[in-house]
Amino acid sequence: MGFDGDEEYGFCKLLHLPAFERGHGLSAAEVFETHRRSHVTEATIIDIKAMGLNAVRVPFGYWCVLGPTKGDPYVGPSLHHLDNVVDWCEKHRLQVLLDLHGNPGGESSEKPCGRSMKSWSFSCWRKDESLEALRIVATRYKDRVHVAGLQVANETGRLVDPVKLVDHYADCARVIRECGMLAENVAVVCPFYFHGPPIGTSQKRRF
């Protein structure tokens, strides 16, 4: 059928097939709710603390915040699971780095952002939707003292125009700060991977 079950996009398409629901008696929403409820539990956080670590990076796709958009097959929203992780980390005194790991339209052509798409380009990234997802997350967790960072993307496409990417990151930082996540409390993490000449001093931004 051409679906790649080794990525969330393709796996969700498989789960949405009527044949799957008839054969297994479960909807895609039921499958993912069971997975998300059991994949990371409070026991996971206790184990991390026992290892001597002091922070947890929590990746999530935009669909966990907004629900799927533009015909994407993902399953969401599911913010209650993020709530649980933040609560557990606070209880066990671990810092949290929230990581928007899959942006609307993807931030690269690779599977870690939810979907592998060889034809991906920077224009596929639905940046307005990304800002809305970040706005919701920042507003929801701005007063949680153990939330130490909000990462606005995973590894971005290496052929992205770095100036356009920095402009988007500046918009992300502005939205996050406007929601009350202050610089003295929460870091805004902006990954940068690209092929090309070094960025000139005039193109560097501080945020």
Side-chain angles (χ1 to χ4, degrees):
M1 296 178 183
F3 299 153
D4 186 349
D6 193 34
E7 62 179 20
E8 192 154 344
Y9 187 96
F11 185 59
C12 287
K13 293 199 77 167
L14 287 170
L15 293 182
H16 283 302
L17 291 175
F20 177 88
E21 294 191 8
R22 288 197 304 269
H24 297 272
L26 294 170
S27 68
E30 290 170 323
V31 170
F32 267 93
E33 178 60 26
T34 299
H35 166 69
R36 290 167 178 161
R37 189 172 59 245
S38 60
H39 183 62
V40 175
T41 66
E42 184 174 3
T44 310
I45 302 303
I46 292 172
D47 287 344
I48 291 171
K49 179 71 173 182
M51 293 176 188
L53 302 175
N54 64 0
V56 177
R57 181 185 184 217
V58 184
F60 59 92
Y62 85 85
W63 50 92
C64 295
V65 181
L66 302 177
T69 62
K70 304 295 184 183
D72 285 345
Y74 301 116
V75 175
S78 56
L79 276 169
H80 56 292
H81 291 298
L82 274 183
D83 290 342
N84 287 339
V85 174
V86 172
D87 287 345
W88 295 330
C89 287
E90 189 171 287
K91 178 179 177 181
H92 297 287
R93 302 182 65 81
L94 287 169
Q95 291 186 320
V96 183
L97 171 60
L98 297 171
D99 170 24
L100 181 55
H101 205 82
N103 274 266
E107 59 261 50
S108 76
S109 62
E110 304 300 325
K111 291 180 181 181
C113 67
R115 181 185 187 185
S116 175
M117 187 168 61
K118 292 182 179 179
S119 62
W120 183 88
S121 68
F122 189 60
S123 63
C124 296
W125 190 341
R126 302 192 296 273
K127 290 174 279 295
D128 286 346
E129 291 181 31
S130 294
L131 295 178
E132 180 59 22
L134 291 169
R135 182 178 291 109
I136 291 170
V137 171
T139 300
R140 193 178 188 94
Y141 300 112
K142 63 183 175 65
D143 295 321
R144 304 301 294 267
V145 296
H146 284 265
V147 174
L150 178 51
Q151 184 169 332
V152 304
N154 186 40
E155 298 176 6
T156 55
R158 291 178 179 268
L159 298 179
V160 167
D161 181 329
V163 176
K164 292 180 180 179
L165 182 60
V166 170
D167 285 344
H168 173 61
Y169 283 167
D171 289 338
C172 292
R174 173 183 52 77
V175 164
I176 291 167
R177 298 305 184 213
E178 287 176 351
C179 291
M181 277 191 162
L182 304 179
E184 56 264 34
N185 299 326
V186 181
V188 176
V189 181
C190 303
F192 216 107
Y193 303 88
F194 75 101
H195 288 166
I199 298 178
T201 302
S202 62
Q203 296 169 328
K204 292 181 180 179
R205 300 282 289 276
R206 184 179 181 87
F207 45 81

